[in-house]
Amino acid sequence: MRQLQLDIEPQLDARISDFSGPGWGHVIDAVRQLHAGLMSRFYVYGGAGTGKSHLLSAICDSYLDVGKSAIQVSLLELLDAPTEAITSLERYDLVALDDIEAISGVPHWQKAVFHLINYNNEEGGQLVFSSRMAPIELKLELPDLQSRLTQAVSVRVPNGSLYADRYALVNSVLDRRGIHIDQQIIDYLLNHGPHQAAILLQSLEQLIQLLKGEKTKLSGATLRQIFALIDEYHQE
C-alpha cells in the first residue's frame, strides 16, 4: 500500500516561554496538566491571528523536548486528502489538530477525527485541538464528535490586548534568536503595532528581515519609515 502524504503544518519557531504573559496564565496551567497526563483532550479557541497555531507548535516542541513524539496538522489543509491519511497520526504520543472548524459540513472527515479520538483514547495518546469557535459553537453533523469535543478541557486564548502579553512574546522570540532591535522600534511595535499574537509575530519577522545586518544607529527618516510600516500592519 502506498504511503499517503500528509500536508503537515510547518513547524513554527515557537516555545512555551513565548506565552509567559499574565493573560496566558490559565492556558499554560492547562498545558502543564496536559504534560502531567491529567487530561487526554485539550481544546483552545480564539479569534483569527490570536496565536493558536503558535501555541500548538510550542506544545509539540515541548513534547519533543522530553522525548515524546508529537505532530501538528492543519485540518483545513487536509480536507482534500483521503481520510485514510489520518491513520498515520495514530502512532504519535500527541497530535495537535489545527482548524477543527474546517470539518464542519464534511461528514467523512468528522468520522475520521472521531475514530482518531477513540483510537487515541485506547492507546493512551493525547490530542490538542484549535478553533476560532468554542466547542459548543461548532456546527458538526456528527453528534458523537461534537460530544467528544465538548468534553475536552477548553480554554479561550487572550486576544493580545494586554501589553504584558505582547512584551513577553516579542522579547522571548528575540532573546531566543539572539537578535537585538533598537528599543524605540520595539516600544513602537508593542504600543502601536497589531495586538493579535500571530500578526504581531509576522510584523516582528518583517522588521527582523528589514533590519538584518543593520549595525549603525538608525536615522530619523529610517525610524519614521519603520513606524509607518508598523502602522500599516496594525490597520490590516
Side-chain angles (χ1 to χ4, degrees), residues 90-168:
E90 292 173 353
R91 58 194 171 88
Y92 289 89
D93 296 316
L94 177 114
V95 178
L97 295 177
D98 222 345
D99 311 306
I100 191 78
E101 72 274 14
I103 61 174
S104 178
V106 193
H108 63 288
W109 264 108
Q110 291 175 36
K111 285 177 187 164
V113 171
F114 179 69
H115 289 310
L116 177 65
I117 291 173
N118 287 341
Y119 182 89
N120 203 268
N121 261 354
E122 289 166 13
E123 297 299 314
Q126 292 174 297
L127 288 161
V128 180
F129 306 94
S130 86
S131 174
R132 295 185 186 186
M133 302 173 211
I136 202 161
E137 295 169 342
L138 288 172
K139 307 248 183 322
L140 300 178
E141 290 79 7
L142 188 63
D144 286 345
L145 177 59
Q146 183 92 41
S147 172
R148 288 280 197 282
L149 293 172
T150 52
Q151 288 165 12
V153 174
S154 66
V155 296
R156 186 184 187 101
V157 299
N159 61 10
S161 59
L162 276 183
Y163 176 90
D165 289 348
R166 303 196 298 278
Y167 180 90

Side-chain angles (χ1 to χ4, degrees), residues 7 73-80 98-103:
D7 194 0
V73 180
S74 168
L75 282 169
L76 187 61
E77 294 171 8
L78 260 191
L79 287 182
D80 293 334
D98 222 345
D99 311 306
I100 191 78
E101 72 274 14
I103 61 174

Side-chain angles (χ1 to χ4, degrees), residues 23 32 178 180 229:
R32 287 195 188 102
H180 173 76
L229 178 71

Side-chain angles (χ1 to χ4, degrees), residues 29-50:
D29 282 347
V31 171
R32 287 195 188 102
Q33 292 177 47
L34 188 73
H35 264 286
L38 299 176
M39 65 172 90
S40 57
R41 293 191 295 281
F42 180 41
Y43 186 112
V44 296
Y45 64 99
T50 47

